[in-house]
Amino acid sequence: HDEKMAINEVFAHAALIKHKHFVRYYNSWVEDGHIYIQNEFCRGGSLAMKIKELRDSVQRFTEDELHKMVVQILKGLQYIHNKQLVHLDIKPDNILLAIEDDVTSDDGSVGHVDYKIGDLGHVAHVSKDKDSINAEEGDCRYMAPEFLQDLQIKIDYYKADIFSLGLTLFEAASLMSLPRNSYDNELLYGELKQGKLPYLPHYSLKLNRLMSSMVNPIIQERPDTSTLLADINPKCSILLEWGDHSGAHRPVKATDSSDNTSEDTSLEE
């Protein structure tokens, strides 16, 4: 199984070639019966590690940071979706933080971070692989509910990536540990799969609505990457559009007072 995923990842990297919001692929080889893949090293670690760090230090992401993250990952997903490819395993562990320089601000925050999608072991071609796609091999915590239902419904694999990203964004915003199944937390697990996200009062109504739309259990009403990016308004700076200009992580109980930002998170490439 691991060998199959490694081979799939090599082919996926070859198909994707290069995109700024995917972990860059350099080389692969077979040695002593094992497949080795050489990828870009992302010094910031994974989003899962960052979430744990903030949770342990009783801090949270600023709204600006969450907007930047979701926009960049949406751009990456839009790129592969346009190639009829789906990731099928979007989650905090598979989003990497690439630190492009060593600039650090006075408050200790990193000067520039890009969010990149990694682990392409589950990537599939929607047309060519439609009879062999097994989305149930992905992480059940972030899996779209249509994969867990015994219903003969037409699955939109692109929208499944959106659901997974929606729960990833929610986990980053709430700092909650998502339940793997109903035994972990029956009430929360059921609500998440039904798209009923707890409202997060320390973030804007617009961000809360964005997350809820991404995890809509009705596939036809769940937006695609183009709709989401257009709704965020690509012609404006994300920081100005969403109104939160704080540039550093903040304590959970603190209120924002900073109105400084130096980074352009516009959707324009």
Side-chain angles (χ1 to χ4, degrees), residues 31-100:
E31 184 176 326
D32 297 329
H34 298 283
I35 300 174
Y36 294 87
I37 303 174
Q38 182 182 15
N39 288 332
E40 169 187 6
F41 175 63
C42 296
R43 300 203 320 266
S46 69
L47 178 60
M49 293 169 57
K50 191 64 180 178
I51 289 172
K52 184 179 185 303
E53 175 187 323
L54 293 178
R55 185 187 298 132
D56 292 344
S57 61
V58 199
Q59 293 181 309
R60 64 170 180 262
F61 286 102
T62 65
E63 192 150 325
D64 292 346
E65 291 171 314
L66 294 175
H67 297 154
K68 178 178 180 179
M69 182 199 80
V70 72
V71 166
Q72 291 189 347
I73 301 305
L74 280 171
K75 284 183 178 181
L77 287 178
Q78 185 181 53
Y79 176 76
I80 66 168
H81 289 180
N82 286 341
K83 290 177 173 286
Q84 292 189 288
L85 296 169
V86 286
H87 188 277
L88 298 180
D89 199 21
I90 293 293
K91 59 182 179 179
D93 283 310
N94 292 339
I95 294 177
L96 287 300
L97 282 62
I99 303 174
E100 302 296 338

